[in-house]
């Protein structure tokens, strides 16, 4: 039902319907109540998103942090915090729009759709696809005002902003190959779309160099730092002799470096380590960490700009934020 249909039923103008549904006192209480009752009976819902945008009101943007059903996953991940800061800055620059942050540890992916349907938000930004690709496609079918930070996938129906994960990790691996490294470990959970693409870039670089990817040297670690520490410690005991490690995040790389040091080895003399994200802490770790940068400022700005283009019903495309290798001590030494 359109507003014009509701106006005909009530025998009033569209502007009167609009005011009545907004609770305006310019419409008598009797007329307001009658129109609101008709709207309820006919399941009419006012498009508040379009109305707010048209009137240049303050919008509320929901920012969702999927946690893969892991209760121990913390929203204090430095990459997440830096991305959130960039999103908040971009919203502030557009007139101080509000940010509603939501984290969920339930393994049921339907929470994203439930949030989209039940929360009074004008648009949604999801930071990370996690394991919810299918659910995100379903949400995109009912809500066009959603943009996701993550990987570009062949069958996606939602809009993404992210980095070229495949090329980024290939670049990191090629850097280690140029250092003369021969026996490689990959550290990351390849169930996740972004990590899977990074692993494919890792594989491609080794294949082009004529090296074999050894299954026993793939550590399928989750994001938790303690798990990564244990994985690498066990790997050092069971498969000694590797001289390069590519981690799918900087936090995993930090855990790997600690495990290597705890095992009596040195970085990069014995094992060179590359991370992914280039979080601020990478500049201050010991040794400082070589990493693939994901420009959070540009990413946050692109997420907000893309979402507002969707709110204006503009045609938008998924996009990549450029990546680059930042070389530090963990691969070159001090």
């Amino acid at each position: 039902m359109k507003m014009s249909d509701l106006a005909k039923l009530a025998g009033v103008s569209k502007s009167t319907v609009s005011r009545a549904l907004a609770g305006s006192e310019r419409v008598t209480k009797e007329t307001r109540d009658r129109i609101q009752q008709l709207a309820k009976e006919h399941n009419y819902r006012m498009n508040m998103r379009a109305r707010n945008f048209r009137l240049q009101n303050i919008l509320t943007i929901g920012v969702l942090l999927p946690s893969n059903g892991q209760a121990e996953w913390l929203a204090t991940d430095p990459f997440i915090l830096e991305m959130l800061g960039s999103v908040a800055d971009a919203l502030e620059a557009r007139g101080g729009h509000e940010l509603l942050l939501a984290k969920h540890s339930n393994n049921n992916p339907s929470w994203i759709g439930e949030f989209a349907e039940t929360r009074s938000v004008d648009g949604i930004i999801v930071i990370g696809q996690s394991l919810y690709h299918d659910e995100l496609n379903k949400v995109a079918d009912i809500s066009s005002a959603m943009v996701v930070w993550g990987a570009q996938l062949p069958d996606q129906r939602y809009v993404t902003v992210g980095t070229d994960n495949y090329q980024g990790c290939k670049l990191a691996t090629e850097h280690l190959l140029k250092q003369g490294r021969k026996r490689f470990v990959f550290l990351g959970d390849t169930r996740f779309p972004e990590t899977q693409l990074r692993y494919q870039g890792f594989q491609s670089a080794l294949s082009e160099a004529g090296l074999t990817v050894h299954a026993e040297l793939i550590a399928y670690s989750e994001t938790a730092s303690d798990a990564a520490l244990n994985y690498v410690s066990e790997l050092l005991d069971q498969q000694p002799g590797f001289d390069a490690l590519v981690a799918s995040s900087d936090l995993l790389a930090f855990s790997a470096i600690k495990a290597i040091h705890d095992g009596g080895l040195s970085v990069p003399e014995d094992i060179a380590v590359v991370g992914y994200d280039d979080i601020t802490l990478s500049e201050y770790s010991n040794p400082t960490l070589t990493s693939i940068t994901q420009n959070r400022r540009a990413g946050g700005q692109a997420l907000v700009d893309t979402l507002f283009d969707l709110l204006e019903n503009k045609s938008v495309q998924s996009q990549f934020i450029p990546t680059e290798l930042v070389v530090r001590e963990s691969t070159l030494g001090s």
Side-chain angles (χ1 to χ4, degrees), residues 43-211:
N43 198 29
Y44 175 81
R45 295 178 63 186
M46 190 173 182
N47 189 339
M48 295 302 295
R49 177 191 302 153
R51 178 179 181 276
N52 286 344
F53 198 88
R54 184 173 62 253
L55 298 178
Q56 296 185 332
N57 288 347
I58 298 297
L59 304 185
T60 299
I61 305 302
V63 179
L64 308 188
L65 306 179
S67 57
N68 316 312
Q70 299 176 37
E72 72 277 8
W73 183 85
L74 299 176
T76 51
D77 181 315
F79 176 79
I80 298 295
L81 289 178
E82 291 176 21
M83 182 64 78
L84 280 173
S86 296
V87 168
D89 289 344
L91 289 173
E92 176 66 24
R94 281 184 169 268
H97 299 292
E98 296 177 343
L99 183 156
L100 175 63
L101 182 62
K103 171 183 176 287
H104 203 279
S105 298
N106 192 315
N107 233 352
N108 188 345
S110 64
W111 76 274
I112 297 177
E114 291 170 0
F115 183 95
E117 291 182 337
T118 62
R119 299 300 180 95
S120 297
V121 295
D122 299 289
I124 293 174
I125 292 173
V126 183
I127 300 183
Q129 288 146 311
S130 184
L131 302 176
Y132 303 137
H133 171 63
D134 291 339
E135 179 67 14
L136 291 170
N137 268 340
K138 292 177 184 177
V139 174
D141 292 338
I142 62 173
S143 175
S144 61
M146 178 181 73
V147 59
V148 179
W149 175 269
Q152 291 187 23
L153 303 176
D155 61 338
Q156 75 183 44
R157 300 192 294 276
Y158 52 91
V159 178
T160 54
V161 174
T163 60
D164 189 338
N165 295 281
Y166 173 90
Q167 189 60 38
C169 212
K170 185 178 181 184
L171 185 64
T173 309
E174 289 172 343
H175 167 68
L176 292 172
L177 287 166
K178 290 176 183 177
Q179 306 303 312
R181 306 290 171 163
K182 298 294 185 182
R183 190 165 165 81
F184 283 71
V185 166
F186 180 86
L187 181 62
D189 192 333
T190 54
R191 294 177 302 161
F192 305 146
E194 290 173 292
T195 308
Q196 177 60 232
L197 287 169
R198 291 171 194 178
Y199 177 59
Q200 290 173 9
F202 168 82
Q203 287 180 307
S204 179
L206 292 186
S207 178
E208 291 176 10
L211 297 180

Side-chain angles (χ1 to χ4, degrees), residues 245-258:
L245 185 145
V246 178
S248 63
S249 75
D250 289 345
L251 288 184
L252 291 178
F254 294 150
S255 295
I257 289 172
K258 183 179 187 321

